[in-house]
Amino acid sequence: MLPSVTFLDLETTGATPLKDRITEIALVRFDHGVETARWQTLVNPQQPIPPFIQSLTGINDGMVAEAPTFAEVADTLLAFLEGTVLAAHNVRFDHGFLKTEFKRIGITLRQKVLCTVKLSRLLYPQHYSHGIDAIVARHQITGLARHRAMGDVEAILVMLNDARRELGEEAVKAAALKLMSAPTLPPHIDASLVGELPEAPGVYLFYGENDLPLYIGKSVNLRARVLSHFSSDHASTKEMRMTQEMKRFEWIATAGEFSALLLESRLVKERQPIYNRQLRRERSLCSWQIDPAAQPLVRLVHEDEIDPSQMSHLFGTFRSKRQAVETLRKIAELSHLCVKALGLEPGRSGPCFAFQLRRCKGVCCGQESPEMHALRVQQALMAHKLKVWPYRGKIGIEEYDLEHDLRQIHVFEHWVYLGVAEDDESLNALRAQTTALKFDLDSYKLLLKMLAHKKTRVLDLAD
């Protein structure tokens, strides 16, 4: 399939590499299609194994009490992995645990990897599920120790043997090479740094010759998104020019997509990267405010005048005065509102031009009461009404990345983003913050969208 590939599986005390540990390692190595090594060992995790994991894997505290620690088997494992591709089912999980364990003993693991879940999807696209249990059922595999490391490795080997017989060796090889292929990196980009990119949410920054970023982006899969920039099939000349100018990059992992969106929005505004034209462009945000006792009935409120705690009479978020006026004219025409009363036509007395065309009900000439007209204006603008803050005070939106044990709580008050907390101290500081609130349209829209999801975890920070 590949010149050298090592199929590996781990059993662990849980799903989080930063706090859980490995309890068993099993691997089978192939060089030029011939099995050259087979190894397995229990590993002392140096912490208790949870009862649920014990019942799932059959590995208990007594079995690993006299087993070697990871540090004691690390050199042996590195020898098996040298010069080979690491293949595992959901390789992100196993590779993440190995990198974390090696890091604890001062070793940086850099390994080419192949995900056999993705390989199964390529080879058997007609099937919906590609987990180990589905593969065992699909290929009628019996006699294996399921949820033990070597048993799971052997299930994958049976699947690949069946694929060679059913689809041919070349089809299996082509699928593996397709998964292994990566865009050609510019010579000045550190390939080892690319190898460290996580398949996790976050924000990435591209730099040129200085410390001002060329571009800031976000993704739910940093590795896939960053590598896509180096593809020869660029979507635009701007993309090609940007990657040619780029000399280095960095990234910031986040707890989820919402965290990445907020961080991207903030960094773009602060750093003003030249290729983020849409997010960084200057704008004059404004909204219509209704005052039934005023003349004209509505007035344009600019962004710096918006009080986030008093949004019940604000309608629309417009990028310019021109856009706001054009929208109000269309609404007036559709709802037969008076353009003179709205301040869209000069003059205070006499019927407006729309009344002469029978497109106004006559508040401008006494045929409709001002109260009724004001009510109709509010009804016509209702679709554009800004949302009133539905909470008693500050709230937190929590995201948690189980795999990397990263918890972030984003604090808001009256739609204004106050900041992110990753521990109790920073959360308490944000709860006590009393700075003036400044409305930001991007934060408002992001929070609105997040609150629409039923699974969003909202923390009441008012007390």
Side-chain angles (χ1 to χ4, degrees):
M1 183 174 71
L2 295 171
S4 180
V5 58
T6 297
F7 296 91
L8 174 143
D9 188 73
L10 305 175
E11 299 302 331
T12 65
T13 62
T16 307
L18 292 178
K19 66 180 182 181
D20 293 311
R21 305 297 294 270
I22 294 172
T23 59
E24 188 176 34
I25 306 170
L27 61 84
V28 179
R29 175 165 174 159
F30 291 83
D31 292 286
H32 303 290
V34 177
E35 182 179 324
T36 55
R38 182 177 287 250
W39 178 70
Q40 63 180 353
T41 180
L42 290 170
V43 179
N44 187 336
Q46 299 176 288
Q47 66 181 43
I49 302 173
F52 169 74
I53 300 296
Q54 292 189 39
S55 63
L56 179 68
T57 65
I59 301 173
N60 57 47
D61 292 332
M63 293 170 63
V64 297
E66 302 300 323
T69 64
F70 185 85
E72 292 171 331
V73 302
D75 288 342
T76 301
L77 179 56
L78 280 174
F80 283 122
L81 295 179
E82 184 178 1
T84 189
V85 172
L86 170 63
H89 219 59
N90 188 12
V91 72
R92 176 182 171 185
F93 176 88
D94 299 86
H95 189 225
F97 263 94
L98 290 179
K99 285 197 300 182
T100 303
E101 290 281 17
F102 277 115
K103 187 176 181 180
R104 288 190 178 106
I105 57 176
I107 297 174
T108 299
L109 179 67
R110 292 190 173 94
Q111 195 79 33
K112 291 184 178 180
V113 297
L114 172 68
C115 181
T116 52
V117 173
K118 295 179 180 178
L119 185 59
S120 176
R121 288 187 183 127
L122 282 179
L123 295 172
Y124 296 98
Q126 69 272 28
H127 295 291
Y128 174 76
S129 182
H130 297 272
I132 294 288
D133 286 335
I135 286 173
V136 167
R138 187 170 76 215
H139 294 271
Q140 300 180 342
I141 303 172
T142 58
L144 297 181
R146 181 71 182 96
H147 295 299
R148 290 297 298 269
M150 187 57 79
D152 289 354
V153 169
E154 289 177 339
I156 299 307
L157 296 180
V158 171
M159 183 268 289
L160 290 174
N161 284 333
D162 285 352
R164 291 188 185 95
R165 186 178 65 256
E166 296 165 2
L167 306 173
E169 177 68 33
E170 287 304 311
V172 176
K173 181 179 178 180
L177 290 174
K178 181 177 180 180
L179 291 173
M180 291 295 298
S181 64
T184 303
L185 301 176
H188 52 271
I189 298 299
D190 186 350
S192 64
L193 187 62
V194 173
E196 294 297 314
L197 277 165
E199 292 182 340
V203 170
Y204 58 96
L205 301 90
F206 287 171
Y207 294 91
E209 297 287 356
N210 53 43
D211 290 334
L212 296 176
L214 297 170
Y215 181 76
I216 298 174
K218 67 88 188 171
S219 179
V220 294
N221 186 328
L222 281 170
R223 179 177 177 81
R225 183 68 186 101
V226 171
L227 288 177
S228 72
H229 284 284
F230 303 118
S231 170
S232 59
D233 183 21
H234 290 293
S236 66
T237 55
K238 183 195 85 170
E239 179 96 355
M240 183 177 297
R241 187 168 64 250
M242 180 179 69
T243 53
Q244 288 173 344
E245 293 177 23
M246 190 188 72
K247 303 302 180 185
R248 63 185 178 88
F249 70 91
E250 60 186 39
W251 71 87
I252 305 169
T254 62
E257 184 178 14
F258 183 62
S259 303
L261 285 164
L262 288 169
L263 180 59
E264 178 197 33
S265 176
R266 178 175 66 81
L267 289 177
V268 167
K269 292 184 177 87
E270 291 177 355
R271 308 291 294 277
Q272 294 286 297
I274 61 174
Y275 285 104
N276 289 87
R277 292 174 182 169
Q278 183 172 356
L279 275 176
R280 75 180 181 91
R281 68 172 181 261
E282 294 296 327
R283 64 173 185 262
S284 179
L285 177 68
C286 47
S287 182
W288 289 111
Q289 184 178 58
I290 298 179
D291 184 353
Q295 185 67 26
L297 188 60
V298 297
R299 75 179 185 94
L300 206 56
V301 178
H302 293 276
E303 185 170 13
D304 56 0
E305 299 177 275
I306 294 177
D307 181 350
S309 64
Q310 302 292 326
M311 293 171 60
S312 58
H313 298 295
L314 294 179
F315 299 82
T317 51
F318 305 103
R319 298 289 184 178
S320 66
K321 178 180 178 180
R322 179 179 177 180
Q323 183 189 31
V325 170
E326 288 178 352
T327 302
L328 187 58
R329 283 191 182 279
K330 291 178 182 177
I331 292 173
E333 183 178 347
L334 290 172
S335 301
H336 290 192
L337 301 175
C338 179
V339 290
K340 185 174 288 187
L342 293 175
L344 299 177
E345 183 179 301
R348 286 182 173 270
S349 61
C352 67
F353 184 66
F355 178 76
Q356 299 173 45
L357 299 177
R358 297 185 179 180
R359 294 176 183 170
C360 166
K361 294 191 177 181
V363 70
C364 50
C365 56
Q367 294 195 20
E368 181 182 32
S369 70
E371 295 76 14
M372 178 58 71
H373 184 257
L375 180 61
R376 291 199 304 110
V377 170
Q378 291 192 51
Q379 291 174 336
L381 286 171
M382 193 56 66
H384 297 270
K385 184 178 175 62
L386 298 190
K387 302 292 183 181
V388 177
W389 185 242
Y391 301 99
R392 296 182 301 155
K394 294 175 183 174
I395 63 165
I397 302 295
E398 183 181 30
E399 281 194 313
Y400 182 59
D401 182 351
L402 180 65
E403 182 175 348
H404 299 94
D405 195 25
L406 178 58
R407 178 178 182 243
Q408 293 181 313
I409 299 175
H410 301 278
V411 180
F412 292 84
E413 184 176 14
H414 294 293
W415 306 107
V416 176
Y417 182 43
L418 302 183
V420 59
E422 295 185 4
D423 53 43
D424 290 341
E425 183 179 354
S426 56
L427 180 60
N428 289 333
L430 288 171
R431 293 180 72 167
Q433 184 172 311
T434 58
T435 54
L437 302 178
K438 184 178 180 181
F439 184 79
D440 177 77
L441 178 60
D442 295 319
S443 298
Y444 170 75
K445 287 186 173 181
L446 287 173
L447 181 56
L448 268 181
K449 187 175 181 180
M450 193 65 176
L451 292 175
H453 293 298
K454 293 182 179 179
K455 293 184 179 180
T456 297
R457 180 167 168 75
V458 181
L459 308 180
D460 186 351
L461 305 178
D463 297 328

